[in-house]
Amino acid sequence: MVIPDQNRAIDPPARPTDSEVALYRWVAANERMDADRAALELGLTREEVEAAVVSLNQLGLLKPDLDDPARLRPVDPDLVAAVVTISMEAAIRTQQAELHRIRDQFADLRGHYRDSLSRESVDLEAIPGVEEVRAALNRAAEECTEEMLTSQPGGNRVPEVLQEALARDTAMLSRGVRMRTLYHHTARFNGPSQAYVATVSALGAEYRTAHELFGRLIVFDRKVAFIPERGGTWGAVVIREPSVVHYLCEVFEQAWTQAAPFSDAAADGLELVAKDIHRTIVRLLAAGLKDESIARRIGMSLRTARKHIADIMETLGAESRFQAGVLAAQQGLLDEVQEAGSGD
């Protein structure tokens, strides 16, 4: 297909100059041509008037009277324009037809392009059901050869889920796969989580905890990532697009650097761990977060988070969440939170 040169302009038809337009008006008003008088009244030289007459004759806008050649008659300009623009209009219609033909041809290619996309590897895949998600995770784990990164928000891990993960994780560790997992600090209070971490850490896995986590994430070999499907369902979204997976790994690495090694609450001291959690809640209260958001950010159930919030407000003597934030700031508790956070 040869595409016409769109830069090639269509030569426009000749059109009257300002002097010629002025002379046409003068002739239309006076009917008889008088070069000297026209030059005087129009502010032109006689030579300019005579040149304008010749041009208007050539354009067909003036014609001599058959009975009196010295007399010039104006011609209907619409008729003249229709004649002199015929070739230009024909060229425009030809280019418009070619333009529509080119657009139609490229539109026909659109369907082939979409068909090719459907045959390419899927960079984004939604898995709606929990059983399908488990199957996809098991398959990805079996194919993993180098590294698995995991962020697991929440403090309580179901023993049945941990038992299933134990078999999968043990198999990967035996193949030399490096495993790193992030938990919330509240996971240190959970007995099944403590036992699981102790068992798998002995095989080489690494675990750290943080006050807050960015969300649930599993990445295999920095090539395929699993994130939750929106809406709080048990589904997942599988991501294989390299740039997005790389970005998620960078988010994990930043959180990992700021997290602390996993240890159970008894080893750290229950009072110390509880105080650490209270500091985080105070900061989130001061930031104006709602109970649901605070619970999710620190990995607690909503009921437990509300109990902690009530204890903090009672300790501060606050009657509202806003007042709790103000009192915490006045007592320097927010400064303590920042100092504690900088040490993670």
Side-chain angles (χ1 to χ4, degrees):
M1 178 182 66
V2 178
I3 299 177
D5 182 3
Q6 297 179 354
N7 295 321
R8 180 173 60 83
I10 300 172
D11 293 334
R15 55 180 181 268
T17 64
D18 292 343
S19 298
E20 293 165 359
V21 170
L23 182 60
Y24 179 88
R25 290 175 181 161
W26 192 91
V27 171
N30 293 275
E31 295 186 354
R32 188 174 184 85
M33 184 61 200
D34 185 331
D36 292 329
R37 180 184 167 198
L40 179 63
E41 294 182 4
L42 296 175
L44 302 173
T45 65
R46 182 181 177 85
E47 290 75 15
E48 288 175 332
V49 169
E50 291 175 348
V53 170
V54 172
S55 180
L56 289 173
N57 271 300
Q58 291 176 343
L59 288 172
L61 288 170
L62 292 179
K63 67 176 182 178
D65 188 277
L66 295 178
D67 298 329
D68 184 0
R71 185 179 184 184
L72 296 176
R73 293 183 178 276
V75 179
D76 186 348
D78 290 335
L79 298 178
V80 176
V83 173
V84 299
T85 59
I86 287 177
S87 60
M88 188 177 185
E89 290 178 344
I92 291 175
R93 286 194 296 269
T94 300
Q95 286 201 339
Q96 285 180 331
E98 181 68 10
L99 176 63
H100 291 311
R101 188 175 69 85
I102 293 172
R103 285 178 174 171
D104 290 342
Q105 287 180 323
F106 279 100
D108 290 340
L109 296 177
R110 190 181 305 118
H112 300 292
Y113 169 70
R114 289 175 177 171
D115 290 342
S116 69
L117 291 181
S118 64
R119 290 191 296 270
E120 292 178 357
S121 60
V122 179
D123 288 336
L124 200 66
E125 177 186 4
I127 305 177
V130 62
E131 295 301 328
E132 291 82 0
V133 172
R134 285 179 176 173
L137 285 172
N138 289 334
R139 181 176 60 188
E142 292 172 359
E143 297 173 351
C144 184
T145 60
E146 297 180 4
E147 181 184 43
M148 184 180 80
L149 309 175
T150 307
S151 172
Q152 292 284 6
N156 297 321
R157 305 298 307 283
V158 180
E160 292 76 10
V161 174
L162 291 175
Q163 190 63 36
E164 179 183 348
L166 180 62
R168 183 178 63 229
D169 295 347
T170 301
M172 283 193 292
L173 290 167
S174 66
R175 299 198 305 270
V177 174
R178 184 187 183 189
M179 290 179 51
R180 288 185 288 162
T181 301
L182 284 168
Y183 285 135
H184 272 122
H185 283 333
T186 50
R188 293 181 290 178
F189 289 94
N190 184 252
S193 295
Q194 294 171 8
Y196 174 80
V197 169
T199 299
V200 186
S201 293
L203 300 176
E206 302 170 65
Y207 293 87
R208 292 187 181 184
T209 63
H211 292 293
E212 302 172 60
L213 290 179
F214 48 85
R216 195 173 305 278
L217 170 70
I218 304 177
V219 184
F220 296 94
D221 286 339
R222 297 181 179 256
K223 294 180 179 178
V224 56
F226 289 74
I227 62 174
E229 191 176 37
R230 68 175 182 175
T233 68
W234 289 102
V237 176
V238 185
I239 303 170
R240 296 182 178 87
E241 204 288 317
S243 295
V244 179
V245 175
H246 174 76
Y247 177 82
L248 294 173
C249 290
E250 290 296 309
V251 172
F252 177 91
E253 292 293 354
Q254 182 177 3
W256 179 264
T257 301
Q258 298 174 351
F262 187 102
S263 58
D264 62 52
D268 286 346
L270 292 175
E271 183 177 351
L272 179 61
V273 175
K275 186 177 180 180
D276 205 21
I277 293 174
H278 275 204
R279 284 172 175 166
T280 303
I281 294 177
V282 166
R283 180 172 59 81
L284 297 177
L285 277 173
L289 270 67
K290 295 182 179 179
D291 294 354
E292 293 80 359
S293 298
I294 292 175
R296 184 170 59 254
R297 293 277 286 271
I298 63 178
M300 283 184 178
S301 68
L302 179 58
R303 180 179 178 182
T304 303
R306 282 176 171 165
K307 183 178 184 304
H308 281 283
I309 292 171
D311 291 343
I312 292 171
M313 292 179 64
E314 182 179 356
T315 301
L316 292 172
E319 298 181 358
S320 67
R321 298 164 60 89
F322 176 77
Q323 187 181 17
V326 172
L327 292 174
Q330 291 176 348
Q331 298 177 26
L333 297 180
L334 297 183
D335 296 333
E336 292 181 12
V337 171
Q338 293 176 350
E339 292 175 3
S342 64
D344 278 352

